[in-house]
Amino acid sequence: MKTKLIILAALIIMSAGNLFAGEKTGKFEVKGNCSMCEKRIEGAATDVAGVSTADWDKKSKILEVVFDDSKTDVNKIQMAIATAGHDTPIHKATEEVYKKLPKCCQYNRQDKTEHKGDQH
């Protein structure tokens, strides 16, 4: 009887491990300004098949996503967010999509390195 319980416990533990084996957490910067941006960014991320949660912090500009890496990856998630109008480290929103964002959502797109030569 004891052996059966040990085998059953081992099977349950292995099954639980397989359920979460593909679950990954990713964190990356996403450009945005306000709560409308937050809703758009999180919505674009969770619309990607395999993404279970998305939480964008307006202050730090960091998005944390939990996703099944057998269904998607960070590249696809960032592409979906850029398609919605927000720049990420891997993908930039097109100028056309960016300009369609409400004025309060149009973040500063200047690259800080662009002006290094202008400083004296």
Side-chain angles (χ1 to χ4, degrees), residues 30 32 38 42 55-64:
V30 179
E38 181 176 17
E42 292 174 355
D55 184 33
W56 183 72
D57 183 75
K58 184 169 58 173
K59 194 176 208 175
S60 68
K61 313 292 188 219
I62 298 297
L63 176 70
E64 182 173 340

Side-chain angles (χ1 to χ4, degrees), residues 49-116:
V51 175
S52 54
T53 62
D55 184 33
W56 183 72
D57 183 75
K58 184 169 58 173
K59 194 176 208 175
S60 68
K61 313 292 188 219
I62 298 297
L63 176 70
E64 182 173 340
V65 291
V66 177
F67 60 97
D68 180 340
D69 69 347
S70 69
K71 295 181 180 177
T72 193
D73 57 36
V74 171
N75 180 58
K76 290 177 187 171
I77 298 166
Q78 288 192 29
M79 186 180 301
I81 293 166
T83 300
H86 296 273
D87 293 349
T88 72
I90 299 174
H91 296 284
K92 305 296 181 211
T94 65
E95 195 65 24
E96 180 183 354
V97 173
Y98 170 79
K99 286 184 177 182
K100 288 181 181 177
L101 292 175
K103 290 292 181 200
C104 64
C105 296
Q106 292 183 3
Y107 48 89
N108 184 356
R109 295 186 96 186
Q110 278 187 321
D111 183 4
K112 293 178 184 175
T113 59
E114 286 179 359
H115 297 289
K116 279 188 175 178

